[in-house]
Amino acid sequence: MPRRYRAGPRPRRHGPARLLPLLAGWVLAGQALALEVPIGYLAWQPDRGPVLSNVTPEPADAGRRGAELAIRDSNTTGRFLDQHYRLMAPEIDSPEALLAAARALHDQGVRLFVTRLPEQRLTAVSRALDDSLVFNAGSASDALRTETCLANVLHTLPSRAMLTDALGQFLARRRWRSWLVVVGQTAGDRAYARSLERAMRRYGHEAIATKPWTFATDLRRSASAEMPLFTQTEDAYDVVVVADERGDFGEYLPYQTWYPRPVAGTQGLSPRAWHPTVETFGAVQLQNRFAELAGRGMTSADYAAWLGVRAIATAVTFTEAASAQGLRDALLGGELALDGFKGRKLTFRPWSGQLRQPIPLVHPRGLVDVSPQQGYLHPETELDTLGFDRPESRCRLLDTPRDT
């Protein structure tokens, strides 16, 4: 008689209600394994003083909104790589509050920072956070790239020399070599003018005259009377080049010059890190994402802050860690490149920490050209024709034979 086998208990089937706690546990376990990357954002700008041309004021949140977009972009891909990025942006209203906020973030374990600060404040923060990696998205100072040489600072904002070299190349290509240079009263204006002088020497331009702007006139009513006489010179010039970083008077130069000439520099045809009219190489998608987030166009400060956060995320993915020293070495080592929607892979100069990048030349409602211009060659990369090359800088942040 054949043996009968009694069937064992049937396996229990888990319905949707029973599966939810299990799925939640798996999600929590995945979150626990994610690499947390806190990033501090520090911004403080001194009072700009009375600005005579206030038609287009700079947005109060310039810079920060770019960092916020980059956090969102980084988390979009980071969730597939077990990475989570978080922006910590304290409110800062004084230099004293700046250092206190920087130290407070440091005490919370933050070692990665993106900043929008003037030169002196950036230097102070860099020294206070000497074991951290700091991205400069706020100061165009040439001295930071040639003399000060802060070992823990990388620069995503172009220097003044990069901007004026971009302009100098373009004007040389157009054969507009005779300049009338007009310089404002601020320290930034004088620094910009020094960069213009350097670009003139490099690209074969000459100044027919250099005139300081020393007036306190309300040009909204008197530009048509003041500017033609102010720009009158004995010898004709090809272009008026203006150094007016905060916009005191430069907006009133176009169409008001003694000779019918174009205006370039900080106003008119301007070299910028970024501008809302940049749309090629997929940039329109970045512009649209930013406009959706901020409700306005993306400025150079927003773009530089966006690049700072994206540089961190790119290096974290490459190194699979968030060590300040490790990220710094990876970004300076030449193997990593950033996608900045400029048609070129962007890398950091190992001697100065400056991000190499093309420079758009724009007027308020249009893109005119992009530098470096065709024909300006370099043994490594033509991007190094913009700004201070290795022999021109005393900085040596990372001595390595591999630069690009």
Coordinates of all heavy atoms in Angstrom, one line a residue, residues 91 97 114 193 208 214 221-222 237 242 255 261 296 328 347 396:
E91 N 21.7 83.0 6.9 CA 21.6 84.5 6.6 C 22.7 85.2 7.2 O 23.1 85.0 8.4 CB 20.3 85.0 7.1 CG 19.0 84.4 6.5 CD 18.9 84.7 5.0 OE1 19.4 85.8 4.6 OE2 18.4 83.9 4.2
A97 N 29.2 88.4 11.3 CA 28.3 87.3 11.1 C 28.8 86.2 10.1 O 28.5 85.1 10.2 CB 26.9 87.8 10.7
V114 N 30.7 76.8 -1.0 CA 30.6 77.6 -2.1 C 30.3 79.0 -1.6 O 29.5 79.2 -0.7 CB 29.5 77.2 -3.1 CG1 29.3 78.2 -4.2 CG2 29.7 75.8 -3.6
A193 N 40.3 98.3 -15.0 CA 41.1 99.1 -15.9 C 42.5 98.5 -16.0 O 43.1 98.5 -17.1 CB 41.2 100.5 -15.4
I208 N 43.9 105.8 -27.1 CA 44.0 107.1 -27.5 C 44.0 108.1 -26.4 O 44.7 109.1 -26.3 CB 42.9 107.4 -28.5 CG1 43.0 106.6 -29.8 CG2 42.8 108.9 -28.9 CD1 44.3 106.8 -30.6
T214 N 34.6 111.3 -12.9 CA 34.6 111.9 -11.6 C 33.3 112.7 -11.3 O 33.3 113.4 -10.3 CB 35.8 112.8 -11.4 OG1 35.8 113.8 -12.4 CG2 37.1 112.0 -11.6
R221 N 18.8 112.5 -17.0 CA 18.2 113.6 -17.7 C 19.3 114.4 -18.5 O 18.9 115.2 -19.4 CB 17.7 114.6 -16.6 CG 16.5 114.1 -15.9 CD 16.0 115.0 -14.8 NE 14.9 114.5 -14.1 CZ 14.9 113.7 -13.1 NH1 16.1 113.3 -12.6 NH2 13.8 113.3 -12.5
S222 N 20.6 114.1 -18.3 CA 21.6 114.9 -19.0 C 22.6 114.1 -19.8 O 23.6 114.7 -20.2 CB 22.3 115.7 -17.9 OG 22.9 114.9 -17.0
Y237 N 38.9 107.4 -32.3 CA 39.1 106.0 -31.7 C 38.2 105.1 -32.4 O 37.2 105.5 -33.0 CB 38.9 106.0 -30.2 CG 37.7 106.9 -29.7 CD1 36.4 106.3 -29.8 CD2 37.9 108.2 -29.3 CE1 35.3 107.1 -29.4 CE2 36.7 108.9 -28.9 CZ 35.5 108.4 -28.9 OH 34.4 109.1 -28.5
V242 N 34.9 100.8 -21.3 CA 34.5 101.3 -20.1 C 34.7 100.4 -18.9 O 34.5 99.2 -19.1 CB 33.0 101.8 -20.1 CG1 32.1 100.6 -20.4 CG2 32.6 102.4 -18.8
Y255 N 25.5 105.2 -27.8 CA 24.8 106.1 -28.7 C 24.9 107.6 -28.2 O 24.2 108.4 -28.7 CB 23.3 105.7 -28.7 CG 23.0 104.3 -29.1 CD1 22.6 103.4 -28.1 CD2 23.3 103.8 -30.4 CE1 22.5 102.0 -28.4 CE2 23.1 102.5 -30.7 CZ 22.7 101.6 -29.7 OH 22.5 100.3 -30.0
R261 N 30.7 105.4 -32.3 CA 31.6 104.2 -32.1 C 30.9 103.2 -31.1 O 30.0 103.7 -30.3 CB 32.9 104.6 -31.5 CG 33.7 105.5 -32.4 CD 34.2 104.8 -33.6 NE 35.2 105.6 -34.4 CZ 34.8 106.4 -35.4 NH1 33.6 106.5 -35.8 NH2 35.8 107.1 -36.0
R296 N 13.5 84.2 -12.9 CA 14.3 85.2 -13.6 C 15.4 84.6 -14.4 O 15.6 83.3 -14.4 CB 14.9 86.2 -12.5 CG 15.8 85.5 -11.5 CD 16.5 86.5 -10.6 NE 17.3 85.9 -9.5 CZ 18.5 85.4 -9.7 NH1 19.1 85.5 -10.9 NH2 19.2 84.9 -8.7
R328 N 39.6 68.0 -3.8 CA 40.6 69.1 -4.3 C 41.6 68.4 -5.2 O 41.8 68.9 -6.4 CB 41.2 69.8 -3.2 CG 42.3 70.8 -3.6 CD 43.1 71.2 -2.4 NE 44.2 72.1 -2.7 CZ 45.4 71.7 -3.1 NH1 45.7 70.4 -3.2 NH2 46.3 72.6 -3.4
T347 N 38.0 72.3 -17.1 CA 39.0 71.8 -16.1 C 39.6 72.9 -15.3 O 39.6 74.1 -15.7 CB 40.1 70.9 -16.8 OG1 40.8 71.8 -17.7 CG2 39.5 69.7 -17.5
R396 N 51.2 77.8 -7.2 CA 51.5 76.5 -7.6 C 50.7 75.6 -6.6 O 51.2 74.9 -5.8 CB 53.0 76.2 -7.5 CG 53.9 76.9 -8.5 CD 53.6 76.5 -9.9 NE 54.4 77.2 -10.9 CZ 54.1 78.3 -11.5 NH1 52.9 78.9 -11.2 NH2 54.9 78.9 -12.3

